Amino acid sequence: VILGSVVFYPEAMKRSFTFSEGLLWFVLGVALFQIAYQLSSRYVERYFPERKYDDLIYQYLDLAGQSHSISEIFTHMMNIVQDKDGPRPHSGVVLWRQNEKDVFTSQVSFCIKDITQFSLSNDSALIRFLLQEYVQGDAACGPVSILIKDGLDKMYGKGKVYPLYREFKRIDAEICVPLLMKTAANTCMLGGLLCLGESQIGDVYRDEDYTFFQEIAKHTVQAIVNVQARELVFQAKQEEYQRFLVDSSRALLQIEKVADVAGHTVEMIQKYIEPVSLGMYVYDREKGIYVLGASSGEVGKEVYAPIAKEDYFARYLAERKEPLRTPDLLRWAEESKAVDWQEVANQVRAFRAELVI
């Protein structure tokens, strides 16, 4: 109001405002402010649009959840970070702890020269700093904090961070995102690092970019925990499987009749794999046909008709050395349109089989 009075009505400053004049200038000031606000908002939205990464995060959740190894998770993470709808850093590298050596080595990288065999030990300035500032004494492994190169001297002083600058420069990084893991003792451990260069969009990362990196780091750690848990279960299952095979092999060697072998084999597979249905054919030399030796599950013996040795199905299986998946067989039968393949497909459908060995 005062600025408007001076510019547009200087004579008004020499006398007192009436109520109507004050109200008029107040309304005018509010209107001018609203116009300026709208124009500036449109400018910001046009030239500095807000970056939304919800879709990318959901996409990464699906990819990371389906990964079968840690390296596969890191590959998906880097692809998401480089996505055209993402922050698009011009370079990046993932460093992961090697437990047996207690060294962080590069796993996946892009646009960084001579980084294939790059590694950082616990004695390096960057790792020491992260262990001191982020890990020690933190039993909860709280929200991931991002280490930003340009903000180091303001937070910790130039003398303390000079060695960090040199390591940031070695890996051409602008920011480092710690990947914090929980140990068996429920304490926090530095599992790895995601180091990224400047953004190709505008050089400087925004708050939403940092939030995106934090979410990606959090989901990466969770996906790694899931993969490690699955590996432990698989390893235990393999050990159990090996013991089971040894015991079953010993039992099979003591069996004298073929029918008993079939029954024991079906019992063994049913106990370990638990298929919905299972049938084992045995060749009858006298009749020259394959007959059902043993079965289990939902499918009864009446479904398993004898198979002649001359049947295309029997001849095909005799030549095949690998297990036959039913979906592959049905697809081949559909594509070939051959009568023989259709015959095999019909037999497999009758067995309700998913796998033929």
Side-chain angles (χ1 to χ4, degrees):
V1 173
I2 295 175
L3 180 62
S5 300
V6 173
V7 175
F8 298 106
Y9 195 24
E11 294 296 327
M13 298 302 295
K14 300 179 182 179
R15 62 179 178 80
S16 300
F17 280 107
T18 63
F19 177 78
S20 58
E21 289 174 336
L23 181 61
L24 175 64
W25 283 114
F26 175 76
V27 173
L28 180 61
V30 171
L32 291 174
F33 174 78
Q34 287 293 332
I35 294 173
Y37 176 77
Q38 293 295 331
L39 292 176
S40 62
S41 299
R42 291 179 183 177
Y43 177 82
V44 170
E45 290 176 359
R46 179 177 179 180
Y47 295 101
F48 304 96
E50 183 181 358
R51 302 169 188 172
K52 297 182 179 179
Y53 301 124
D54 292 345
D55 292 340
L56 281 180
I57 292 174
Y58 290 137
Q59 181 182 347
Y60 179 65
L61 274 172
D62 292 337
L63 293 172
Q66 298 171 10
S67 299
H68 300 286
S69 65
I70 295 178
S71 60
E72 188 178 352
I73 294 173
F74 289 150
T75 301
H76 289 316
M77 177 173 65
M78 283 305 203
N79 291 338
I80 287 293
V81 168
Q82 296 178 77
D83 191 275
K84 62 181 179 63
D85 297 325
R88 292 168 53 195
H90 72 76
S91 63
V93 61
V94 177
L95 302 173
W96 187 246
R97 179 192 291 270
Q98 303 298 319
N99 291 328
E100 63 276 8
K101 297 181 181 179
D102 211 18
V103 173
F104 296 81
T105 58
S106 59
Q107 304 294 315
V108 182
S109 63
F110 63 94
C111 297
I112 301 180
K113 296 180 180 179
D114 304 325
I115 199 70
T116 307
Q117 300 298 328
F118 180 80
S119 63
L120 291 175
S121 66
N122 277 353
D123 296 331
S124 66
L126 180 58
I127 299 301
R128 280 203 321 269
F129 178 83
L130 290 172
L131 291 174
Q132 293 172 1
E133 297 293 331
Y134 291 84
V135 178
Q136 287 187 359
D138 183 10
C141 264
V144 179
S145 300
I146 297 178
L147 195 61
I148 306 171
K149 184 179 72 173
D150 292 340
L152 291 176
D153 53 350
K154 298 178 182 178
M155 294 177 62
Y156 305 104
K158 293 184 178 180
K160 186 176 180 180
V161 301
Y162 180 71
L164 295 178
Y165 277 120
R166 289 185 299 180
E167 294 198 352
F168 267 85
K169 188 175 181 180
R170 285 177 62 194
I171 54 180
D172 196 19
E174 181 66 25
I175 65 172
C176 281
V177 188
L179 302 176
L180 304 179
M181 309 278 293
K182 275 188 178 181
T183 65
N186 201 32
T187 58
C188 201
M189 178 189 74
L190 181 63
L193 285 171
L194 170 62
C195 299
L196 302 170
E198 293 180 345
S199 173
Q200 299 182 51
I201 300 176
D203 292 337
V204 178
Y205 292 112
R206 301 185 194 172
D207 290 341
E208 55 263 34
D209 298 329
Y210 295 132
T211 302
F212 171 72
F213 293 137
Q214 288 174 325
E215 287 293 317
I216 290 296
K218 180 179 69 174
H219 296 312
T220 297
V221 168
Q222 186 58 53
I224 291 173
V225 170
N226 294 339
V227 166
Q228 291 175 338
R230 287 198 297 267
E231 288 177 350
L232 290 175
V233 172
F234 178 76
Q235 183 178 357
K237 195 75 172 177
Q238 286 295 101
E239 293 174 356
E240 178 189 351
Y241 175 62
Q242 293 299 328
R243 291 193 299 269
F244 188 72
L245 279 181
V246 171
D247 295 340
S248 298
S249 298
R250 290 173 180 171
L252 283 171
L253 290 174
Q254 299 174 3
I255 296 176
E256 297 179 357
K257 296 182 179 180
V258 174
D260 294 338
V261 172
H264 185 82
T265 303
V266 167
E267 181 182 353
M268 178 179 65
I269 297 175
Q270 184 69 38
K271 180 178 179 182
Y272 184 75
I273 303 179
E274 299 180 357
V276 174
S277 59
L278 171 65
M280 181 174 178
Y281 279 82
V282 179
Y283 183 62
D284 188 330
R285 293 181 181 274
E286 295 180 359
K287 299 180 179 180
I289 59 175
Y290 293 92
V291 296
L292 185 67
S295 66
S296 68
E298 297 180 359
V299 181
K301 291 186 178 182
E302 63 275 3
V303 177
Y304 295 94
I307 302 174
K309 186 178 180 180
E310 296 76 18
D311 285 357
Y312 184 80
F313 187 50
R315 287 187 285 110
Y316 173 77
L317 290 178
E319 297 173 358
R320 185 179 178 87
K321 297 181 180 180
E322 297 178 356
L324 175 64
R325 295 180 66 253
T326 301
D328 295 334
L329 174 62
L330 297 180
R331 187 181 71 252
W332 297 335
E334 183 67 26
E335 292 173 356
S336 67
K337 303 296 183 181
V339 176
D340 289 342
W341 277 106
Q342 295 294 335
E343 177 187 344
V344 173
N346 291 334
Q347 286 177 295
V348 172
R349 287 192 187 98
F351 302 151
R352 300 182 189 178
E354 287 295 324
L355 188 68
V356 181
I357 305 174

